Every structure is written in C-alpha cells, then in structure tokens.
Amino acid sequence: MLKIENHWFTPSDEVEHIACPKNTQLFDRGQPDTIVIHYTAGKNGISSAHYLAKDNVKASAHLVLDRSGKIIQLVPFNTISWHAGKSSYAERSGFNNFSIGIEIDNAGILEKTGDMYKSWFGKKYTADEVVKATHRNESTERYWHTYTEEQIDTVQLICEKLMDTYPTIKYILGHEEIAPGRKQDPGPAFPLNKLRTILLDSRQESGSDKFANAIGFVDVDGLNIREMPSVNSDTVAEPLPEGTKVRIQAKHNNWYKVTAEIEGWVAADYIAFNE
Ligand SMILES: [Zn+2]
C-alpha cells in the first residue's frame, strides 16, 4: 500500500529512500502537471539510483524502479529533479520544471549476438527478456529489453497515487516524446499508450471531478474566500489563514470551491496539496 507523507513515499518493504541533496528547487505553483517515464539503461535499479543521487552527476529523478517493482525515491515530489534534460512538447520546453520523473530499470536497446541479446554495457539477455518492435519515432524494428509485470503494475500504482495526491497532474509522457531523436526511453516495450488510456481517459470523462474531495492547504498569508468564482464577488468570511485545511468541492476556471469552516470560492493559485 503506497502512502505519501510530506512529498515522500513512506518507507516500507517496497519503498527505499536515497538522499539526493543536489536537488533543492521547489516546483512553481500549479506544478508538476506531468509524469515522465524513462528507462535507466543501467545494470540494476539500486546502482542507477546511487549514480543519479551523486553530487557530481548532472542528472537525477524522483523515483527509480528496480526489476522486482521496488521503488527507490531520491527527490521529494514538491522538488524539481533533473530527468528530462533538453526537452519540449506541446509548445513548452524544459520539462524538469513541470514533471515528476520515474526511471525504470531496463537495459533499453539490445543487439542480437548468436542466440543472445547484448546491452550497450555488455550484459547478455535470453530471448524471453527481449521484444522485437518498432519505436514510435522510428520506422524499422529493433530489439528491446522487456519490462517485468511487477514494474508495469507498480508504475500504474505510482501514477494513480501521484494523481490522487497532486490533482495538478494531467499528462503522462515518455522521455522519447519530449526529447524525440535524442532519447528512446521508455521505448516500445513499455505500454505507455495503455497506461494513458487507463489513467487519463477515465479521469477526463469525470472532468473536474478529479479535484473533488482532494484536501488542500492555504499557501498564502490570508486567502479571500468568496461567494462566487470571481474577484468581483463578495467575500463570505475573514480571509483564511495560511495553512488552513480545505476540502475541494469543485473547480471552475482558476477557482476552487472549498469547504473549510465556511464554504466559498478561492483563487486556485493559492492552494497547495499534500503539505
Ligand atoms: Zn530518460
């Protein structure tokens, strides 16, 4: 059972923390709105996690997932990590500023040698760990390391938990989509489209309901609470003090209808989640 407390998954048999003190910059208000999926192209999950946590490495990620589905968290979810690099999609660039990065332990592209398949770092894999497929950015088939069922299931659980905790999240993208040509991960062995169908389409059908019942906190020193979602509308009470816990009832443009001691509308920019 995954639980988020103060922007970290609670440690358990399935969750480990590794400190990554180089990442200290918090996301702007309203971010993150995207989850970016990667593969590590490394030897194993724990070695990739330790590498990404190093002070002298100019890369990192929020999460690394090993082959068993175990989660290693490096960076809290309210903090920017360095997983996207030079990236752009739908007229935005620099996706580190908008996204949570999940690195999945997977060797990536493999070369066939005899009966075996070899990774760039020289490890050999048998045919049952290999899929021949065409990448979405390419036109010919190549060999790709498969993901384990545990990894695919756990990625879905992680995304569900993140989207429940951070209602700002509304996109799931592959690194290959925000850095096409430069990056191939997570590649065709990962069921990215299916994940989006399961997680995003069902939520979009319920529209603004995805905000309903989320718990937020006032993130400004005194937040006006109004009768209607407009700055011209009368306030219904004294401004809500910073830290006031509110339950989101509905969203309209850039306003949330919230219940605190009193019900009314507040500017969405000044509500934080999971603090
Ligand atoms: Zn990547």
Side-chain angles (χ1 to χ4, degrees), residues 37-39 83 103 175 183 185:
I37 309 287
H38 304 259
Y39 61 52
H83 58 95
E103 291 277 357
H175 203 187
K183 290 291 176 180
D185 58 319

Side-chain angles (χ1 to χ4, degrees), residues 184-201:
Q184 288 82 31
D185 58 319
F190 187 82
L192 185 57
N193 292 346
K194 190 177 162 198
L195 185 73
R196 280 196 279 251
T197 303
I198 293 168
L199 292 176
L200 300 178
D201 295 1

Side-chain angles (χ1 to χ4, degrees), residues 18-20 22 38-54 57 59-61 63-67 72 74 102-107 120-121 151:
I18 290 179
C20 182
K22 66 192 172 190
H38 304 259
Y39 61 52
T40 56
K43 289 188 181 66
N44 60 61
I46 194 73
S47 68
S48 294
H50 280 293
Y51 174 78
L52 291 170
K54 280 185 180 175
V57 170
S60 61
L63 302 175
V64 177
L65 210 57
D66 79 8
R67 300 289 292 172
I72 305 155
L74 281 66
I102 304 176
E103 291 277 357
I104 311 172
D105 176 17
N106 179 290
W120 71 271
F121 50 87
Q151 287 179 318

Side-chain angles (χ1 to χ4, degrees), residues 4 21 58 75 89 100 139 159 161 164 184 189 207 218 221 239 241 254:
I4 296 177
K58 291 261 175 278
V75 179
Y89 187 86
I100 288 173
S139 54
C159 291
K161 192 71 201 171
D164 283 344
Q184 288 82 31
V218 172
D221 185 18
N254 208 29

Side-chain angles (χ1 to χ4, degrees), residues 221-238:
D221 185 18
L223 177 60
N224 287 322
I225 179 161
R226 301 178 185 279
E227 207 172 333
M228 300 292 290
S230 160
V231 289
N232 299 319
S233 169
D234 289 340
T235 57
V236 294
E238 292 297 306

Side-chain angles (χ1 to χ4, degrees), residues 224-229 250-252 255-257 264-267:
N224 287 322
I225 179 161
R226 301 178 185 279
E227 207 172 333
M228 300 292 290
K251 186 170 194 285
H252 177 76
W255 294 80
Y256 291 130
K257 187 180 193 181
W265 292 85
V266 300

